[in-house]
């Protein structure tokens, strides 16, 4: 990721789009994988640069939770390099177990905020981006902490290849409206939905997550797919 192929770093400021980074003691196997597996697949600048140089499609999942979606997609698409970003350490421990169990060799993991990684990516580096059931920060005074902001959407658009897509899913009605308004305001992204079924039904390639099954939101899941013009 050489400097001459990227735009200047964005001054993101102190926005904290996530809450806790750990809720309980890691299970022994997960703790071991932090020491053994994570150093081998950590999304360092060098490994991301090598993935870019390989010419393979790169898909990015931001906030992968327990990692079910990320691992399942990586298993289905061995020819794609997946980068997963998650600041919640218990979630990182969970995805490491999935990666170990499935023998996945096409995943890089960043245990932290995705925004600095986005800034370092060259233009048109990614084929797909997923933001599934991100923290909704439902109280109005906390809306500024939502990951979906004009600045992050602009970063998505810059990093996506023409025709590449970003999928946002939520089960909070207000966050769905918030996200749709801000995505539609970006002229570089196209929403192709033609009927309510296009956002009310899970896409054919969607993988259900543990969070989704819990039904903790205030509406049925909403799926919004946007494409880079």
């Amino acid at each position: 990721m050489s400097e001459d192929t990227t735009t200047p770093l964005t001054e993101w400021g102190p926005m904290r789009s996530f809450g806790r980074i750990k809720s309980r003691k890691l299970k022994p196997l997960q703790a071991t994988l932090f020491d053994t597996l994570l150093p081998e697949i950590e999304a360092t600048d060098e490994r991301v640069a090598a993935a870019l140089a390989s010419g393979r499609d790169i898909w990015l999942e931001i906030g992968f939770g327990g990692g079910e979606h990320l691992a399942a997609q990586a298993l289905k698409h061995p020819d794609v390099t997946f980068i997963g970003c998650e600041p919640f350490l218990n979630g990182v421990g969970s995805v490491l177990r999935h990666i170990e169990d499935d023998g996945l060799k096409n995943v890089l993991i960043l245990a932290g905020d995705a925004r600095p990684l986005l800034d370092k990516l060259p233009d048109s580096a990614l084929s797909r981006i997923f933001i599934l059931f991100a923290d909704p920060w439902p109280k109005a005074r906390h809306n500024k902490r939502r990951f979906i902001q004009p600045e992050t959407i602009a970063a998505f658009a810059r990093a996506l290849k023409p025709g590449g897509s970003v999928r946002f899913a939520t089960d909070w009605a207000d966050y769905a409206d918030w996200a749709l308004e801000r995505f539609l305001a970006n002229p570089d992204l196209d929403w192709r939905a033609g009927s309510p079924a296009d956002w009310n039904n899970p896409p054919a390639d969607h993988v259900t997550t543990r969070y989704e099954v819990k039904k903790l939101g205030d509406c049925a899941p909403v799926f919004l797919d946007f494409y880079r013009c």
Side-chain angles (χ1 to χ4, degrees):
M1 294 182 289
S2 60
E3 293 182 359
D4 61 349
T5 59
T6 62
T7 56
L9 292 180
T10 302
E11 293 296 333
W12 288 112
M15 183 184 88
R16 185 177 175 88
S17 61
F18 46 89
R20 300 170 300 170
I21 63 170
K22 189 177 180 182
S23 67
R24 61 185 182 277
K25 184 177 179 179
L26 293 171
K27 296 177 181 178
L29 175 57
Q30 294 178 348
T32 298
L33 292 174
F34 263 90
D35 294 331
T36 58
L37 180 56
L38 183 58
E40 299 298 321
I41 62 171
E42 188 175 3
T44 62
D45 287 355
E46 293 75 17
R47 290 194 180 108
V48 174
L52 291 165
S54 73
R56 292 159 58 99
D57 281 349
I58 299 177
W59 296 8
L60 172 67
E61 183 165 351
I62 298 171
F64 53 70
E68 302 95 345
H69 177 272
L70 178 64
Q73 293 286 8
L75 190 61
K76 289 181 181 180
H77 303 280
D79 56 333
V80 174
T81 295
F82 288 79
I83 303 176
C85 301
E86 174 60 65
F88 187 54
L89 298 184
N90 296 91
V92 175
S94 177
V95 81
L96 291 175
R97 180 179 56 79
H98 285 299
I99 292 169
E100 175 84 355
D101 290 348
D102 294 336
L104 299 175
K105 304 298 183 184
N106 57 331
V107 179
L108 298 175
I109 296 297
L110 175 63
D113 189 349
R115 296 175 300 161
L117 171 67
L118 275 169
D119 257 350
K120 293 179 182 180
L121 290 173
D123 295 355
S124 304
L126 304 175
S127 297
R128 300 190 72 177
I129 300 172
F130 299 92
I131 310 100
L132 307 178
F133 304 99
D135 194 324
W137 295 103
K139 294 182 180 179
R141 69 178 183 272
H142 293 155
N143 285 176
K144 62 185 178 182
R145 295 187 177 185
R146 289 174 168 174
F147 192 84
I148 299 302
Q149 304 286 346
E151 295 82 6
T152 48
I153 293 171
F156 300 157
R158 183 194 64 78
L160 280 171
K161 296 178 179 179
S165 64
V166 52
R167 174 173 297 162
F168 173 80
T170 184
D171 55 0
W172 286 85
D174 177 68
Y175 202 5
D177 292 341
W178 166 286
L180 183 59
E181 179 182 354
R182 284 154 181 78
F183 272 109
L184 291 177
N186 189 297
D188 295 322
L189 294 170
D190 181 31
W191 190 41
R192 301 176 183 175
S195 71
D198 292 324
W199 61 85
N200 288 328
N201 295 335
D205 63 348
H206 176 63
V207 176
T208 302
T209 68
R210 277 187 295 171
Y211 175 87
E212 186 178 348
V213 171
K214 291 179 181 179
K215 298 182 179 180
L216 299 177
D218 62 2
C219 70
V222 174
F223 299 89
L224 305 176
D225 282 359
F226 301 89
Y227 295 85
R228 182 66 164 90
C229 300

